Amino acid sequence: MIKAPLSALLLLVAMTSTLGKYIPKSGKRIPQTLSRGWGDQLIWAQTYEEALYWSRSKNKPLMVIFHLEDCPHSQAMKKAFSENNEIQRTLDEDFIVLNLVYETTDKHLSPDGQYVPRLIFVDPSMTVRADITGRYANRMYAYETSDTKLLLSNMEKAKKLLKSEL
Amino acid sequence: MIKAPLSALLLLVAMTSTLGKYIPKSGKRIPQTLSRGWGDQLIWAQTYEEALYWSRSKNKPLMVIFHLEDCPHSQAMKKAFSENNEIQRTLDEDFIVLNLVYETTDKHLSPDGQYVPRLIFVDPSMTVRADITGRYANRMYAYETSDTKLLLSNMEKAKKLLKSEL
């Protein structure tokens, strides 16, 4: 005798808990990730300030990726980058990572201009490693999908930290 | 006759696709969200620069939330905030939102000091609304879980945009 009212009550509770959550008029959205597709298993800093703090305190080099969601070169690089286990493992173990879809106010992060995709390394001493460049003279910090080996060798360079002058 | 080899092949493909992805030694992680728990259905800016851009271009006020993951006051406010449908709906429809666990270099975002949780409104004219305050004289931009009505009325104030001097 008690079964029907109880299941009705449970149904009501279940409905209420679903109804209770805010859902946009346009339909439920997939929550945005901080990785933006560049590696869901990595721990991403949100801002340049946060990234610099972690780089200094963990004494690990920082990789900053500038990209745009609707840029085909960014999309292609993101796919190659996120699917390359050696890149992902090395970043996870030895780097602080930040990906940005907006420029920061720090001009040091655009040594030869603002373009995407652009990968800049920063030493824990807070020195931008303008010396670690890709293959292209006119866009020195750009990498193509065919440049993953060069990128890995540049990551090894970035891991050799600059000597502090202190 | 063909069934067994085919399913074996499918299994192999499935295993390869799982084995192929980078998984940290410490185990698979849940991808980080940009909401950090303040509302998974909202569209969050990543940085202050991005938030200002969207505020100006969409002519919507910006709410900046400063918080810390391991601060009990931030956690309590986050729960009340993310579960309040009126707050969530109003933010989704009428605001640009940004939550930060690190301070920016812009001193205007800390009119009476850096503390968490701290909620600051910014007008699309890029003016920090230091006039929109909470209940506490010593921490004017702090809100407690019991202050959601005040917060909603402050959101209404922020929606009345400042007149541009141009």
Side-chain angles (χ1 to χ4, degrees):
Chain A
M1 287 293 274
I2 206 171
K3 271 185 185 171
L6 188 64
S7 52
L9 183 70
L10 285 173
L11 183 67
L12 191 69
V13 169
M15 278 173 67
T16 312
S17 92
T18 306
L19 286 172
K21 282 185 187 166
Y22 171 68
I23 293 172
K25 279 179 193 160
S26 53
K28 201 173 177 190
R29 302 188 186 113
I30 297 163
Q32 300 160 277
T33 63
L34 257 179
S35 77
R36 294 188 191 258
W38 289 83
D40 272 352
Q41 291 299 302
L42 302 182
I43 295 168
W44 295 90
Q46 182 182 359
T47 63
Y48 189 43
E49 290 84 356
E50 180 179 359
L52 287 177
Y53 174 82
W54 286 116
S55 173
R56 286 176 68 110
S57 60
K58 293 184 185 278
N59 203 38
K60 288 181 176 181
L62 161 64
M63 179 195 276
V64 187
I65 303 165
F66 290 92
H67 66 109
L68 284 172
E69 303 273 6
D70 52 5
C71 154
H73 290 95
S74 296
Q75 287 164 355
M77 193 61 210
K78 171 164 36 180
K79 189 171 187 299
F81 187 100
S82 63
E83 290 176 358
N84 186 308
N85 279 3
E86 202 177 344
I87 292 177
Q88 294 287 314
R89 181 178 301 107
T90 309
L91 289 176
D92 188 30
E93 292 173 359
D94 301 323
F95 282 80
I96 305 299
V97 285
L98 171 68
N99 77 82
L100 291 174
V101 292
Y102 276 77
E103 296 290 337
T104 71
T105 49
D106 192 327
K107 303 276 181 228
H108 296 101
L109 289 173
S110 46
D112 65 346
Q114 298 180 346
Y115 51 84
V116 293
R118 186 168 99 249
L119 275 67
I120 307 272
F121 294 98
V122 186
D123 190 75
S125 63
M126 294 180 72
T127 308
V128 171
R129 296 291 305 266
D131 59 310
I132 304 181
T133 60
R135 191 181 295 290
Y136 311 99
N138 57 337
R139 294 186 162 204
M140 292 206 295
Y141 307 96
Y143 295 82
E144 301 264 341
T145 52
S146 53
D147 300 332
T148 48
K149 275 195 181 166
L150 174 62
L151 178 58
L152 275 161
S153 101
N154 280 351
M155 286 164 64
E156 290 306 312
K157 278 190 205 166
K159 279 167 67 175
K160 291 184 186 108
L161 304 185
L162 302 177
K163 290 208 170 64
S164 172
E165 285 170 33
L166 296 177
Chain B
M1 285 291 276
I2 204 170
K3 270 185 185 170
L6 188 65
S7 53
L9 182 70
L10 286 173
L11 183 68
L12 191 69
V13 169
M15 278 173 66
T16 312
S17 93
T18 306
L19 285 171
K21 284 185 187 165
Y22 171 68
I23 292 170
K25 280 179 193 159
S26 53
K28 201 173 175 190
R29 302 187 185 113
I30 297 164
Q32 299 160 278
T33 64
L34 258 178
S35 78
R36 294 189 192 258
W38 290 83
D40 272 351
Q41 291 298 303
L42 302 182
I43 294 169
W44 294 90
Q46 182 183 358
T47 64
Y48 189 44
E49 289 84 357
E50 181 179 358
L52 286 178
Y53 174 82
W54 286 116
S55 173
R56 284 176 69 110
S57 59
K58 291 184 186 279
N59 203 37
K60 288 181 175 181
L62 161 65
M63 178 195 277
V64 187
I65 304 165
F66 290 93
H67 65 109
L68 284 172
E69 304 274 6
D70 52 3
C71 154
H73 289 94
S74 296
Q75 287 163 357
M77 194 60 210
K78 171 165 32 183
K79 189 171 187 300
F81 187 100
S82 63
E83 290 176 358
N84 186 308
N85 278 4
E86 203 177 342
I87 292 177
Q88 294 287 313
R89 181 176 301 109
T90 309
L91 290 176
D92 188 30
E93 293 173 358
D94 301 324
F95 282 80
I96 305 298
V97 284
L98 171 69
N99 77 82
L100 292 174
V101 291
Y102 276 77
E103 296 291 338
T104 71
T105 49
D106 192 328
K107 303 278 180 226
H108 296 101
L109 289 173
S110 47
D112 66 345
Q114 299 180 344
Y115 50 86
V116 293
R118 187 169 97 249
L119 275 68
I120 308 272
F121 294 98
V122 185
D123 190 74
S125 64
M126 294 181 72
T127 309
V128 170
R129 295 291 306 264
D131 58 309
I132 304 181
T133 60
R135 193 182 293 292
Y136 311 100
N138 57 338
R139 294 184 163 206
M140 293 206 294
Y141 307 95
Y143 296 82
E144 301 263 341
T145 52
S146 53
D147 299 333
T148 49
K149 276 195 181 168
L150 173 61
L151 179 59
L152 275 162
S153 100
N154 281 351
M155 286 163 64
E156 291 304 315
K157 278 188 205 168
K159 279 168 65 176
K160 292 186 185 106
L161 303 185
L162 302 177
K163 291 209 170 64
S164 172
E165 284 169 36
L166 296 178

